[in-house]
Amino acid sequence: AWDPYCKEHIHKLESVQKRAARFVSNNYDTYTSTTKLVTDLGWDTLKDRRTASRLTLLQKARHSKAALPVKTLLTPTLRQSRHFNSNSYKPLAFHKDCYKYSYFPQTVRDWNILPQEISDTAEPTKFNAAVLQHLRKQH
């Protein structure tokens, strides 16, 4: 799935969802907030959905339910920190934006700041729901 990092691309992608919210709500009034329409429909932002999808794929790979080479590419942190959960990984080094915002570096950053109780969740559907709920609380 495409997970843009440039603000211009994110804006274009989010505008598709906002147009869909106007269509579903049948509300084309220019004074109506499309963000409010999306919220009223109970839709998560596309950014949150992409983040939850990335994290869920990593969670599945950790539990051998997805074919990602997690054990060869990622190194678990050896000591706990108040900023990271006990399932965290060493952040990956990067020098270019194209790598900085690619799957593993971005997902490891997001994974490491998940609360412990979410990162411990083994069942993918429950994990995804917990991540989305966590992301909603941050807004």
Side-chain angles (χ1 to χ4, degrees), residues 27-100:
N27 186 341
Y28 298 96
D29 182 11
T30 55
Y31 296 108
T32 302
S33 165
T34 52
T35 303
K36 183 173 177 352
L37 288 175
V38 169
T39 304
D40 290 348
L41 288 167
W43 293 355
D44 292 304
T45 65
L46 296 177
K47 180 181 186 302
D48 287 350
R49 290 172 57 188
R50 288 190 306 272
T51 300
S53 293
R54 281 189 294 100
L55 290 168
T56 302
L57 181 59
L58 179 59
Q59 183 266 358
K60 285 178 180 178
R62 285 175 44 86
H63 295 281
S64 303
K65 295 179 182 176
L68 276 181
V70 172
K71 292 180 179 151
T72 57
L73 292 176
L74 302 179
T75 307
T77 54
L78 300 176
R79 58 187 180 133
Q80 287 187 327
S81 163
R82 63 186 165 146
H83 300 290
F84 297 136
N85 62 61
S86 66
N87 299 319
S88 64
Y89 295 102
K90 287 184 181 178
L92 300 171
F94 43 80
H95 300 287
K96 297 185 183 258
D97 279 355
C98 61
Y99 181 64
K100 177 180 179 180

Side-chain angles (χ1 to χ4, degrees), residues 105-131:
Q106 191 172 3
T107 304
V108 166
R109 275 192 310 274
D110 293 338
W111 178 269
N112 287 347
I113 59 173
L114 280 177
Q116 185 70 45
E117 62 273 7
I118 295 176
S119 69
D120 286 341
T121 306
E123 205 282 308
T125 307
K126 290 180 183 176
F127 176 84
N128 191 283
V131 168

Side-chain angles (χ1 to χ4, degrees), residues 8-27:
E8 174 188 352
H9 297 148
I10 293 169
H11 176 73
K12 285 182 180 180
L13 199 55
E14 295 288 337
S15 70
V16 172
Q17 185 183 40
K18 290 178 178 182
R19 282 196 309 267
R22 284 198 184 280
F23 178 79
V24 169
S25 302
N26 197 27
N27 186 341

